[in-house]
Amino acid sequence: MSTATRFLCRAPQRVLCTGLLALCAALAACSTKPVPEWSLNASDAARRAMQAQLEGASRVADLEWGKARSEAAQTGQPALMARLALMRCALQVASLDWDDCSGYIPYAQDAAPAEQAYHRYLYGALQSGDMALLPAQHQGVAATLAQGEAVTAAQLQAVPDATARLVASGAALRAGRTTVEALWPVVDATATPQGWRRPLMAWMELERRRLESAGATSAAQTLARRLDVLQDKPTRP
């Protein structure tokens, strides 16, 4: 079995469990046969798309997502299209872009049970039985959400994969089971070293507004200057 095949074969048993970069591998089925060209192309394009999306390179992300969809569409399998759409939606949740995941909806009925459960987790609609279908990294946060309890910073810090940590943070905030104040240090420590501009800007702006409303002017101005750097603007005095 080739190195590429071994990589691609790891994910079907761990769908959505090690962060979205590993999700690309799930685009191919395990086999000792050579990996189909479409699978390699879709996987590579999806990885590039996710990285561009996290970095805030929207035009590049759109282009690469389009390439990944085009490659996957050659199989005629709606389930693969659902998976690709869900990968993109998860990163949107991580960046506090809480639309209805419209790209996933047309394929939702053909998505695998694990993806359907993951979509419900992302958008605050967990059902009984979903926990066992979710990736191990998300099960603790999902269980807390299902119980109606608060998700803590320590709980999210324990998520080992950086991308999964941001996704879980976005899902928890969307569900109303945590606060920006509690999670901002986690997000900052996760996104800043990676240079993940898009989620960093979204969370930073919310925290800046919170600090401003709380009268913490100096701290708010510090974040405002960081936002200026992220937007490649001259820093404010």
mmCIF file of all heavy atoms in Angstrom, residues 15-16 19-20 23 27 50 53 65 69 78-94 99-108 111-123 133-135 163 167:
data_model
loop_
_atom_site.group_PDB
_atom_site.id
_atom_site.type_symbol
_atom_site.label_atom_id
_atom_site.label_comp_id
_atom_site.label_asym_id
_atom_site.label_seq_id
_atom_site.Cartn_x
_atom_site.Cartn_y
_atom_site.Cartn_z
ATOM 1 N N VAL A 15 -13.796 9.892 10.825
ATOM 2 C CA VAL A 15 -14.348 11.024 10.088
ATOM 3 C C VAL A 15 -14.523 12.225 11.010
ATOM 4 O O VAL A 15 -15.107 12.131 12.069
ATOM 5 C CB VAL A 15 -15.706 10.641 9.461
ATOM 6 C CG1 VAL A 15 -16.365 11.856 8.825
ATOM 7 C CG2 VAL A 15 -15.499 9.570 8.410
ATOM 8 N N LEU A 16 -13.969 13.360 10.588
ATOM 9 C CA LEU A 16 -14.092 14.622 11.297
ATOM 10 C C LEU A 16 -13.460 14.615 12.681
ATOM 11 O O LEU A 16 -13.842 15.399 13.526
ATOM 12 C CB LEU A 16 -15.584 15.002 11.433
ATOM 13 C CG LEU A 16 -16.319 15.192 10.122
ATOM 14 C CD1 LEU A 16 -17.789 14.924 10.303
ATOM 15 C CD2 LEU A 16 -16.128 16.573 9.572
ATOM 16 N N GLY A 19 -9.486 17.201 13.246
ATOM 17 C CA GLY A 19 -9.398 18.519 12.633
ATOM 18 C C GLY A 19 -9.667 18.405 11.148
ATOM 19 O O GLY A 19 -9.540 17.351 10.554
ATOM 20 N N LEU A 20 -10.005 19.520 10.542
ATOM 21 C CA LEU A 20 -10.486 19.468 9.173
ATOM 22 C C LEU A 20 -9.414 19.125 8.165
ATOM 23 O O LEU A 20 -9.709 18.639 7.088
ATOM 24 C CB LEU A 20 -11.139 20.805 8.824
ATOM 25 C CG LEU A 20 -12.399 21.067 9.632
ATOM 26 C CD1 LEU A 20 -12.962 22.410 9.278
ATOM 27 C CD2 LEU A 20 -13.431 19.992 9.395
ATOM 28 N N LEU A 23 -9.681 15.679 7.481
ATOM 29 C CA LEU A 23 -10.937 15.322 6.816
ATOM 30 C C LEU A 23 -10.741 15.090 5.321
ATOM 31 O O LEU A 23 -11.473 14.321 4.713
ATOM 32 C CB LEU A 23 -11.941 16.470 7.009
ATOM 33 C CG LEU A 23 -13.273 16.133 7.629
ATOM 34 C CD1 LEU A 23 -14.145 17.355 7.646
ATOM 35 C CD2 LEU A 23 -13.954 14.987 6.957
ATOM 36 N N LEU A 27 -12.058 11.678 1.618
ATOM 37 C CA LEU A 27 -12.607 11.750 0.273
ATOM 38 C C LEU A 27 -12.348 10.479 -0.520
ATOM 39 O O LEU A 27 -12.910 10.275 -1.586
ATOM 40 C CB LEU A 27 -12.011 12.947 -0.476
ATOM 41 C CG LEU A 27 -12.457 14.312 0.048
ATOM 42 C CD1 LEU A 27 -11.636 15.397 -0.602
ATOM 43 C CD2 LEU A 27 -13.926 14.525 -0.197
ATOM 44 N N MET A 50 -8.879 24.947 2.715
ATOM 45 C CA MET A 50 -9.023 25.163 4.155
ATOM 46 C C MET A 50 -7.951 26.089 4.697
ATOM 47 O O MET A 50 -8.227 26.976 5.508
ATOM 48 C CB MET A 50 -9.017 23.819 4.880
ATOM 49 C CG MET A 50 -10.291 23.032 4.656
ATOM 50 S SD MET A 50 -10.381 21.520 5.627
ATOM 51 C CE MET A 50 -9.230 20.500 4.714
ATOM 52 N N GLN A 53 -8.780 29.575 3.566
ATOM 53 C CA GLN A 53 -9.933 30.098 4.300
ATOM 54 C C GLN A 53 -9.525 30.558 5.692
ATOM 55 O O GLN A 53 -9.942 31.625 6.157
ATOM 56 C CB GLN A 53 -11.029 29.032 4.378
ATOM 57 C CG GLN A 53 -12.342 29.554 4.964
ATOM 58 C CD GLN A 53 -13.470 28.560 4.806
ATOM 59 O OE1 GLN A 53 -13.457 27.707 3.911
ATOM 60 N NE2 GLN A 53 -14.468 28.643 5.664
ATOM 61 N N TRP A 65 -11.926 25.454 -3.324
ATOM 62 C CA TRP A 65 -13.147 24.695 -3.031
ATOM 63 C C TRP A 65 -13.828 24.282 -4.332
ATOM 64 O O TRP A 65 -14.362 23.171 -4.450
ATOM 65 C CB TRP A 65 -14.115 25.518 -2.179
ATOM 66 C CG TRP A 65 -13.783 25.623 -0.730
ATOM 67 C CD1 TRP A 65 -13.596 26.761 -0.001
ATOM 68 C CD2 TRP A 65 -13.610 24.532 0.202
ATOM 69 N NE1 TRP A 65 -13.305 26.453 1.302
ATOM 70 C CE2 TRP A 65 -13.313 25.100 1.452
ATOM 71 C CE3 TRP A 65 -13.675 23.146 0.077
ATOM 72 C CZ2 TRP A 65 -13.086 24.316 2.580
ATOM 73 C CZ3 TRP A 65 -13.439 22.363 1.199
ATOM 74 C CH2 TRP A 65 -13.148 22.948 2.432
ATOM 75 N N ARG A 69 -14.682 20.451 -5.420
ATOM 76 C CA ARG A 69 -16.032 20.024 -5.781
ATOM 77 C C ARG A 69 -16.069 19.412 -7.172
ATOM 78 O O ARG A 69 -16.745 18.411 -7.412
ATOM 79 C CB ARG A 69 -17.007 21.201 -5.697
ATOM 80 C CG ARG A 69 -17.377 21.621 -4.287
ATOM 81 C CD ARG A 69 -18.597 22.540 -4.302
ATOM 82 N NE ARG A 69 -18.376 23.718 -5.138
ATOM 83 C CZ ARG A 69 -17.844 24.844 -4.712
ATOM 84 N NH1 ARG A 69 -17.460 24.965 -3.458
ATOM 85 N NH2 ARG A 69 -17.699 25.873 -5.525
ATOM 86 N N PRO A 78 -23.466 12.240 -4.085
ATOM 87 C CA PRO A 78 -23.853 13.394 -3.271
ATOM 88 C C PRO A 78 -23.216 13.379 -1.885
ATOM 89 O O PRO A 78 -22.969 14.440 -1.311
ATOM 90 C CB PRO A 78 -25.380 13.261 -3.175
ATOM 91 C CG PRO A 78 -25.767 12.452 -4.358
ATOM 92 C CD PRO A 78 -24.641 11.491 -4.571
ATOM 93 N N ALA A 79 -22.944 12.186 -1.348
ATOM 94 C CA ALA A 79 -22.355 12.105 -0.010
ATOM 95 C C ALA A 79 -20.992 12.790 0.041
ATOM 96 O O ALA A 79 -20.645 13.423 1.042
ATOM 97 C CB ALA A 79 -22.222 10.648 0.422
ATOM 98 N N LEU A 80 -20.221 12.680 -1.030
ATOM 99 C CA LEU A 80 -18.923 13.354 -1.061
ATOM 100 C C LEU A 80 -19.088 14.869 -1.166
ATOM 101 O O LEU A 80 -18.332 15.624 -0.555
ATOM 102 C CB LEU A 80 -18.094 12.846 -2.236
ATOM 103 C CG LEU A 80 -17.573 11.416 -2.131
ATOM 104 C CD1 LEU A 80 -16.773 11.047 -3.377
ATOM 105 C CD2 LEU A 80 -16.713 11.237 -0.885
ATOM 106 N N MET A 81 -20.079 15.301 -1.916
ATOM 107 C CA MET A 81 -20.340 16.729 -2.016
ATOM 108 C C MET A 81 -20.790 17.283 -0.668
ATOM 109 O O MET A 81 -20.420 18.403 -0.279
ATOM 110 C CB MET A 81 -21.405 16.998 -3.080
ATOM 111 C CG MET A 81 -21.104 16.392 -4.453
ATOM 112 S SD MET A 81 -19.522 16.946 -5.145
ATOM 113 C CE MET A 81 -19.963 18.625 -5.600
ATOM 114 N N ALA A 82 -21.578 16.496 0.058
ATOM 115 C CA ALA A 82 -22.011 16.906 1.404
ATOM 116 C C ALA A 82 -20.815 17.060 2.326
ATOM 117 O O ALA A 82 -20.723 18.014 3.106
ATOM 118 C CB ALA A 82 -22.993 15.880 1.973
ATOM 119 N N ARG A 83 -19.889 16.125 2.231
ATOM 120 C CA ARG A 83 -18.705 16.168 3.103
ATOM 121 C C ARG A 83 -17.864 17.400 2.817
ATOM 122 O O ARG A 83 -17.421 18.099 3.738
ATOM 123 C CB ARG A 83 -17.877 14.905 2.914
ATOM 124 C CG ARG A 83 -16.659 14.816 3.809
ATOM 125 C CD ARG A 83 -16.047 13.438 3.749
ATOM 126 N NE ARG A 83 -16.969 12.462 4.319
ATOM 127 C CZ ARG A 83 -16.920 11.156 4.052
ATOM 128 N NH1 ARG A 83 -16.016 10.681 3.220
ATOM 129 N NH2 ARG A 83 -17.781 10.337 4.614
ATOM 130 N N LEU A 84 -17.639 17.695 1.557
ATOM 131 C CA LEU A 84 -16.868 18.887 1.206
ATOM 132 C C LEU A 84 -17.540 20.156 1.713
ATOM 133 O O LEU A 84 -16.890 21.044 2.272
ATOM 134 C CB LEU A 84 -16.704 18.966 -0.313
ATOM 135 C CG LEU A 84 -15.557 18.171 -0.934
ATOM 136 C CD1 LEU A 84 -15.666 18.198 -2.448
ATOM 137 C CD2 LEU A 84 -14.215 18.723 -0.486
ATOM 138 N N ALA A 85 -18.844 20.255 1.506
ATOM 139 C CA ALA A 85 -19.570 21.448 1.964
ATOM 140 C C ALA A 85 -19.484 21.591 3.472
ATOM 141 O O ALA A 85 -19.316 22.698 4.003
ATOM 142 C CB ALA A 85 -21.030 21.366 1.516
ATOM 143 N N LEU A 86 -19.569 20.482 4.178
ATOM 144 C CA LEU A 86 -19.533 20.516 5.632
ATOM 145 C C LEU A 86 -18.156 20.932 6.140
ATOM 146 O O LEU A 86 -18.034 21.629 7.157
ATOM 147 C CB LEU A 86 -19.915 19.148 6.196
ATOM 148 C CG LEU A 86 -20.116 19.054 7.704
ATOM 149 C CD1 LEU A 86 -21.188 20.040 8.167
ATOM 150 C CD2 LEU A 86 -20.499 17.642 8.107
ATOM 151 N N MET A 87 -17.119 20.529 5.443
ATOM 152 C CA MET A 87 -15.772 20.949 5.811
ATOM 153 C C MET A 87 -15.667 22.468 5.778
ATOM 154 O O MET A 87 -15.108 23.094 6.685
ATOM 155 C CB MET A 87 -14.753 20.316 4.851
ATOM 156 C CG MET A 87 -14.590 18.819 5.028
ATOM 157 S SD MET A 87 -13.857 18.010 3.571
ATOM 158 C CE MET A 87 -12.244 18.786 3.527
ATOM 159 N N ARG A 88 -16.225 23.048 4.741
ATOM 160 C CA ARG A 88 -16.178 24.509 4.611
ATOM 161 C C ARG A 88 -17.029 25.176 5.690
ATOM 162 O O ARG A 88 -16.613 26.187 6.289
ATOM 163 C CB ARG A 88 -16.661 24.907 3.217
ATOM 164 C CG ARG A 88 -16.473 26.373 2.907
ATOM 165 C CD ARG A 88 -16.807 26.681 1.459
ATOM 166 N NE ARG A 88 -16.366 28.015 1.092
ATOM 167 C CZ ARG A 88 -16.428 28.498 -0.145
ATOM 168 N NH1 ARG A 88 -16.914 27.742 -1.127
ATOM 169 N NH2 ARG A 88 -16.001 29.714 -0.409
ATOM 170 N N CYS A 89 -18.187 24.624 5.950
ATOM 171 C CA CYS A 89 -19.079 25.198 6.955
ATOM 172 C C CYS A 89 -18.468 25.160 8.354
ATOM 173 O O CYS A 89 -18.654 26.077 9.155
ATOM 174 C CB CYS A 89 -20.417 24.464 6.959
ATOM 175 S SG CYS A 89 -21.399 24.726 5.469
ATOM 176 N N ALA A 90 -17.735 24.100 8.650
ATOM 177 C CA ALA A 90 -17.107 23.992 9.964
ATOM 178 C C ALA A 90 -16.108 25.126 10.182
ATOM 179 O O ALA A 90 -16.033 25.708 11.279
ATOM 180 C CB ALA A 90 -16.426 22.638 10.114
ATOM 181 N N LEU A 91 -15.350 25.465 9.144
ATOM 182 C CA LEU A 91 -14.411 26.573 9.267
ATOM 183 C C LEU A 91 -15.136 27.911 9.392
ATOM 184 O O LEU A 91 -14.646 28.828 10.048
ATOM 185 C CB LEU A 91 -13.474 26.607 8.061
ATOM 186 C CG LEU A 91 -12.478 25.454 7.942
ATOM 187 C CD1 LEU A 91 -11.551 25.684 6.754
ATOM 188 C CD2 LEU A 91 -11.660 25.288 9.208
ATOM 189 N N GLN A 92 -16.296 28.007 8.773
ATOM 190 C CA GLN A 92 -17.084 29.227 8.937
ATOM 191 C C GLN A 92 -17.555 29.371 10.378
ATOM 192 O O GLN A 92 -17.521 30.471 10.948
ATOM 193 C CB GLN A 92 -18.277 29.206 7.977
ATOM 194 C CG GLN A 92 -17.882 29.369 6.517
ATOM 195 C CD GLN A 92 -19.044 29.168 5.559
ATOM 196 O OE1 GLN A 92 -20.049 28.553 5.903
ATOM 197 N NE2 GLN A 92 -18.907 29.668 4.345
ATOM 198 N N VAL A 93 -17.982 28.284 10.971
ATOM 199 C CA VAL A 93 -18.391 28.318 12.374
ATOM 200 C C VAL A 93 -17.212 28.723 13.253
ATOM 201 O O VAL A 93 -17.357 29.509 14.194
ATOM 202 C CB VAL A 93 -18.959 26.952 12.809
ATOM 203 C CG1 VAL A 93 -19.138 26.882 14.325
ATOM 204 C CG2 VAL A 93 -20.290 26.690 12.127
ATOM 205 N N ALA A 94 -16.035 28.203 12.952
ATOM 206 C CA ALA A 94 -14.838 28.563 13.713
ATOM 207 C C ALA A 94 -14.549 30.055 13.632
ATOM 208 O O ALA A 94 -13.986 30.649 14.557
ATOM 209 C CB ALA A 94 -13.639 27.778 13.197
ATOM 210 N N ASP A 99 -23.901 31.237 9.116
ATOM 211 C CA ASP A 99 -25.001 31.119 8.163
ATOM 212 C C ASP A 99 -25.602 29.718 8.283
ATOM 213 O O ASP A 99 -25.265 28.949 9.171
ATOM 214 C CB ASP A 99 -24.532 31.435 6.742
ATOM 215 C CG ASP A 99 -23.582 30.373 6.190
ATOM 216 O OD1 ASP A 99 -23.329 29.371 6.888
ATOM 217 O OD2 ASP A 99 -23.092 30.546 5.067
ATOM 218 N N ASP A 100 -26.457 29.369 7.363
ATOM 219 C CA ASP A 100 -27.170 28.092 7.485
ATOM 220 C C ASP A 100 -26.468 26.952 6.762
ATOM 221 O O ASP A 100 -27.070 25.909 6.509
ATOM 222 C CB ASP A 100 -28.612 28.225 6.975
ATOM 223 C CG ASP A 100 -28.664 28.667 5.514
ATOM 224 O OD1 ASP A 100 -27.587 28.887 4.924
ATOM 225 O OD2 ASP A 100 -29.777 28.788 4.975
ATOM 226 N N CYS A 101 -25.203 27.124 6.419
ATOM 227 C CA CYS A 101 -24.449 26.084 5.724
ATOM 228 C C CYS A 101 -25.172 25.681 4.439
ATOM 229 O O CYS A 101 -25.441 24.507 4.178
ATOM 230 C CB CYS A 101 -24.236 24.869 6.620
ATOM 231 S SG CYS A 101 -22.911 23.749 6.109
ATOM 232 N N SER A 102 -25.497 26.683 3.639
ATOM 233 C CA SER A 102 -26.342 26.464 2.462
ATOM 234 C C SER A 102 -25.724 25.489 1.458
ATOM 235 O O SER A 102 -26.450 24.790 0.749
ATOM 236 C CB SER A 102 -26.626 27.805 1.772
ATOM 237 O OG SER A 102 -25.411 28.455 1.416
ATOM 238 N N GLY A 103 -24.400 25.421 1.390
ATOM 239 C CA GLY A 103 -23.781 24.499 0.459
ATOM 240 C C GLY A 103 -23.989 23.039 0.805
ATOM 241 O O GLY A 103 -23.911 22.163 -0.064
ATOM 242 N N TYR A 104 -24.278 22.781 2.082
ATOM 243 C CA TYR A 104 -24.487 21.406 2.544
ATOM 244 C C TYR A 104 -25.927 20.939 2.347
ATOM 245 O O TYR A 104 -26.176 19.749 2.092
ATOM 246 C CB TYR A 104 -24.107 21.332 4.024
ATOM 247 C CG TYR A 104 -24.509 20.073 4.740
ATOM 248 C CD1 TYR A 104 -23.750 18.903 4.639
ATOM 249 C CD2 TYR A 104 -25.639 20.049 5.557
ATOM 250 C CE1 TYR A 104 -24.109 17.744 5.317
ATOM 251 C CE2 TYR A 104 -26.003 18.899 6.239
ATOM 252 C CZ TYR A 104 -25.236 17.757 6.116
ATOM 253 O OH TYR A 104 -25.606 16.618 6.795
ATOM 254 N N ILE A 105 -26.861 21.850 2.459
ATOM 255 C CA ILE A 105 -28.286 21.502 2.485
ATOM 256 C C ILE A 105 -28.732 20.643 1.302
ATOM 257 O O ILE A 105 -29.446 19.649 1.485
ATOM 258 C CB ILE A 105 -29.152 22.775 2.579
ATOM 259 C CG1 ILE A 105 -28.785 23.588 3.836
ATOM 260 C CG2 ILE A 105 -30.633 22.417 2.579
ATOM 261 C CD1 ILE A 105 -28.890 22.800 5.128
ATOM 262 N N PRO A 106 -28.344 20.946 0.051
ATOM 263 C CA PRO A 106 -28.827 20.130 -1.070
ATOM 264 C C PRO A 106 -28.394 18.667 -1.004
ATOM 265 O O PRO A 106 -29.021 17.808 -1.635
ATOM 266 C CB PRO A 106 -28.207 20.816 -2.300
ATOM 267 C CG PRO A 106 -27.910 22.211 -1.865
ATOM 268 C CD PRO A 106 -27.532 22.085 -0.425
ATOM 269 N N TYR A 107 -27.323 18.388 -0.260
ATOM 270 C CA TYR A 107 -26.790 17.025 -0.198
ATOM 271 C C TYR A 107 -27.021 16.368 1.157
ATOM 272 O O TYR A 107 -26.584 15.236 1.384
ATOM 273 C CB TYR A 107 -25.286 17.047 -0.489
ATOM 274 C CG TYR A 107 -24.910 17.812 -1.730
ATOM 275 C CD1 TYR A 107 -24.269 19.039 -1.647
ATOM 276 C CD2 TYR A 107 -25.210 17.305 -2.993
ATOM 277 C CE1 TYR A 107 -23.930 19.753 -2.789
ATOM 278 C CE2 TYR A 107 -24.874 18.003 -4.142
ATOM 279 C CZ TYR A 107 -24.232 19.225 -4.038
ATOM 280 O OH TYR A 107 -23.909 19.922 -5.169
ATOM 281 N N ALA A 108 -27.693 17.064 2.065
ATOM 282 C CA ALA A 108 -27.796 16.602 3.449
ATOM 283 C C ALA A 108 -28.421 15.215 3.570
ATOM 284 O O ALA A 108 -27.984 14.388 4.377
ATOM 285 C CB ALA A 108 -28.599 17.606 4.274
ATOM 286 N N ALA A 111 -25.884 12.544 3.042
ATOM 287 C CA ALA A 111 -24.674 12.556 3.861
ATOM 288 C C ALA A 111 -24.651 11.342 4.778
ATOM 289 O O ALA A 111 -25.691 10.798 5.161
ATOM 290 C CB ALA A 111 -24.620 13.833 4.697
ATOM 291 N N ALA A 112 -23.451 10.916 5.138
ATOM 292 C CA ALA A 112 -23.300 9.795 6.064
ATOM 293 C C ALA A 112 -23.803 10.212 7.442
ATOM 294 O O ALA A 112 -23.814 11.399 7.774
ATOM 295 C CB ALA A 112 -21.833 9.384 6.140
ATOM 296 N N PRO A 113 -24.228 9.251 8.270
ATOM 297 C CA PRO A 113 -24.729 9.589 9.611
ATOM 298 C C PRO A 113 -23.755 10.429 10.427
ATOM 299 O O PRO A 113 -24.173 11.331 11.160
ATOM 300 C CB PRO A 113 -24.972 8.223 10.252
ATOM 301 C CG PRO A 113 -25.286 7.327 9.090
ATOM 302 C CD PRO A 113 -24.408 7.811 7.969
ATOM 303 N N ALA A 114 -22.461 10.161 10.315
ATOM 304 C CA ALA A 114 -21.479 10.932 11.082
ATOM 305 C C ALA A 114 -21.477 12.399 10.661
ATOM 306 O O ALA A 114 -21.373 13.298 11.501
ATOM 307 C CB ALA A 114 -20.081 10.334 10.905
ATOM 308 N N GLU A 115 -21.570 12.652 9.359
ATOM 309 C CA GLU A 115 -21.613 14.034 8.886
ATOM 310 C C GLU A 115 -22.917 14.716 9.306
ATOM 311 O O GLU A 115 -22.920 15.899 9.656
ATOM 312 C CB GLU A 115 -21.464 14.097 7.361
ATOM 313 C CG GLU A 115 -20.034 14.114 6.877
ATOM 314 C CD GLU A 115 -19.447 12.726 6.736
ATOM 315 O OE1 GLU A 115 -20.175 11.739 6.919
ATOM 316 O OE2 GLU A 115 -18.255 12.618 6.442
ATOM 317 N N GLN A 116 -24.019 13.994 9.254
ATOM 318 C CA GLN A 116 -25.285 14.578 9.673
ATOM 319 C C GLN A 116 -25.241 14.965 11.154
ATOM 320 O O GLN A 116 -25.726 16.039 11.550
ATOM 321 C CB GLN A 116 -26.421 13.591 9.402
ATOM 322 C CG GLN A 116 -26.686 13.367 7.915
ATOM 323 C CD GLN A 116 -27.798 12.362 7.666
ATOM 324 O OE1 GLN A 116 -28.394 11.818 8.586
ATOM 325 N NE2 GLN A 116 -28.083 12.106 6.404
ATOM 326 N N ALA A 117 -24.634 14.107 11.958
ATOM 327 C CA ALA A 117 -24.501 14.415 13.385
ATOM 328 C C ALA A 117 -23.586 15.613 13.600
ATOM 329 O O ALA A 117 -23.837 16.472 14.453
ATOM 330 C CB ALA A 117 -23.954 13.195 14.135
ATOM 331 N N TYR A 118 -22.515 15.685 12.802
ATOM 332 C CA TYR A 118 -21.571 16.793 12.932
ATOM 333 C C TYR A 118 -22.224 18.116 12.548
ATOM 334 O O TYR A 118 -21.990 19.149 13.188
ATOM 335 C CB TYR A 118 -20.359 16.511 12.041
ATOM 336 C CG TYR A 118 -19.182 17.421 12.273
ATOM 337 C CD1 TYR A 118 -18.422 17.328 13.430
ATOM 338 C CD2 TYR A 118 -18.809 18.367 11.317
ATOM 339 C CE1 TYR A 118 -17.323 18.153 13.632
ATOM 340 C CE2 TYR A 118 -17.714 19.190 11.512
ATOM 341 C CZ TYR A 118 -16.978 19.079 12.669
ATOM 342 O OH TYR A 118 -15.895 19.897 12.873
ATOM 343 N N HIS A 119 -23.041 18.091 11.527
ATOM 344 C CA HIS A 119 -23.770 19.300 11.139
ATOM 345 C C HIS A 119 -24.682 19.757 12.267
ATOM 346 O O HIS A 119 -24.750 20.949 12.586
ATOM 347 C CB HIS A 119 -24.591 19.043 9.866
ATOM 348 C CG HIS A 119 -25.380 20.233 9.421
ATOM 349 N ND1 HIS A 119 -26.713 20.403 9.762
ATOM 350 C CD2 HIS A 119 -25.031 21.325 8.677
ATOM 351 C CE1 HIS A 119 -27.150 21.530 9.241
ATOM 352 N NE2 HIS A 119 -26.158 22.110 8.585
ATOM 353 N N ARG A 120 -25.387 18.834 12.891
ATOM 354 C CA ARG A 120 -26.253 19.203 14.013
ATOM 355 C C ARG A 120 -25.442 19.774 15.173
ATOM 356 O O ARG A 120 -25.882 20.714 15.847
ATOM 357 C CB ARG A 120 -27.074 17.987 14.457
ATOM 358 C CG ARG A 120 -28.137 17.567 13.440
ATOM 359 C CD ARG A 120 -29.088 16.538 14.010
ATOM 360 N NE ARG A 120 -28.454 15.232 14.205
ATOM 361 C CZ ARG A 120 -28.448 14.264 13.302
ATOM 362 N NH1 ARG A 120 -29.015 14.446 12.113
ATOM 363 N NH2 ARG A 120 -27.871 13.101 13.564
ATOM 364 N N TYR A 121 -24.286 19.223 15.405
ATOM 365 C CA TYR A 121 -23.402 19.726 16.457
ATOM 366 C C TYR A 121 -22.962 21.158 16.154
ATOM 367 O O TYR A 121 -23.001 22.038 17.037
ATOM 368 C CB TYR A 121 -22.199 18.795 16.559
ATOM 369 C CG TYR A 121 -20.980 19.346 17.255
ATOM 370 C CD1 TYR A 121 -20.995 19.675 18.608
ATOM 371 C CD2 TYR A 121 -19.782 19.505 16.545
ATOM 372 C CE1 TYR A 121 -19.857 20.153 19.241
ATOM 373 C CE2 TYR A 121 -18.646 19.989 17.167
ATOM 374 C CZ TYR A 121 -18.681 20.309 18.514
ATOM 375 O OH TYR A 121 -17.546 20.778 19.132
ATOM 376 N N LEU A 122 -22.560 21.407 14.927
ATOM 377 C CA LEU A 122 -22.100 22.742 14.553
ATOM 378 C C LEU A 122 -23.183 23.790 14.709
ATOM 379 O O LEU A 122 -22.914 24.934 15.091
ATOM 380 C CB LEU A 122 -21.616 22.744 13.103
ATOM 381 C CG LEU A 122 -20.336 21.992 12.765
ATOM 382 C CD1 LEU A 122 -20.084 22.041 11.268
ATOM 383 C CD2 LEU A 122 -19.141 22.551 13.529
ATOM 384 N N TYR A 123 -24.428 23.404 14.419
ATOM 385 C CA TYR A 123 -25.508 24.382 14.362
ATOM 386 C C TYR A 123 -26.520 24.242 15.488
ATOM 387 O O TYR A 123 -27.653 24.684 15.385
ATOM 388 C CB TYR A 123 -26.176 24.328 12.980
ATOM 389 C CG TYR A 123 -25.238 24.822 11.908
ATOM 390 C CD1 TYR A 123 -24.409 23.945 11.223
ATOM 391 C CD2 TYR A 123 -25.129 26.180 11.631
ATOM 392 C CE1 TYR A 123 -23.504 24.400 10.270
ATOM 393 C CE2 TYR A 123 -24.232 26.649 10.679
ATOM 394 C CZ TYR A 123 -23.424 25.759 10.006
ATOM 395 O OH TYR A 123 -22.523 26.216 9.070
ATOM 396 N N LEU A 133 -21.468 9.297 17.274
ATOM 397 C CA LEU A 133 -21.101 9.472 15.870
ATOM 398 C C LEU A 133 -20.072 10.575 15.665
ATOM 399 O O LEU A 133 -19.456 10.656 14.607
ATOM 400 C CB LEU A 133 -22.350 9.793 15.043
ATOM 401 C CG LEU A 133 -23.427 8.707 14.975
ATOM 402 C CD1 LEU A 133 -24.669 9.249 14.282
ATOM 403 C CD2 LEU A 133 -22.895 7.479 14.246
ATOM 404 N N LEU A 134 -19.906 11.411 16.672
ATOM 405 C CA LEU A 134 -19.002 12.546 16.528
ATOM 406 C C LEU A 134 -17.552 12.129 16.725
ATOM 407 O O LEU A 134 -17.267 11.131 17.385
ATOM 408 C CB LEU A 134 -19.364 13.625 17.556
ATOM 409 C CG LEU A 134 -20.692 14.353 17.343
ATOM 410 C CD1 LEU A 134 -20.972 15.275 18.516
ATOM 411 C CD2 LEU A 134 -20.674 15.141 16.038
ATOM 412 N N PRO A 135 -16.622 12.912 16.178
ATOM 413 C CA PRO A 135 -15.209 12.643 16.411
ATOM 414 C C PRO A 135 -14.894 12.681 17.898
ATOM 415 O O PRO A 135 -15.512 13.435 18.655
ATOM 416 C CB PRO A 135 -14.510 13.793 15.688
ATOM 417 C CG PRO A 135 -15.509 14.331 14.732
ATOM 418 C CD PRO A 135 -16.842 14.082 15.318
ATOM 419 N N THR A 163 -7.288 23.109 14.692
ATOM 420 C CA THR A 163 -8.475 23.413 13.893
ATOM 421 C C THR A 163 -9.739 22.959 14.600
ATOM 422 O O THR A 163 -10.726 23.688 14.671
ATOM 423 C CB THR A 163 -8.389 22.733 12.515
ATOM 424 O OG1 THR A 163 -7.094 22.925 11.963
ATOM 425 C CG2 THR A 163 -9.433 23.296 11.573
ATOM 426 N N VAL A 167 -13.084 25.112 15.851
ATOM 427 C CA VAL A 167 -14.436 24.720 15.468
ATOM 428 C C VAL A 167 -15.292 24.498 16.709
ATOM 429 O O VAL A 167 -16.440 24.966 16.788
ATOM 430 C CB VAL A 167 -14.411 23.447 14.598
ATOM 431 C CG1 VAL A 167 -15.822 22.925 14.360
ATOM 432 C CG2 VAL A 167 -13.728 23.729 13.266
#
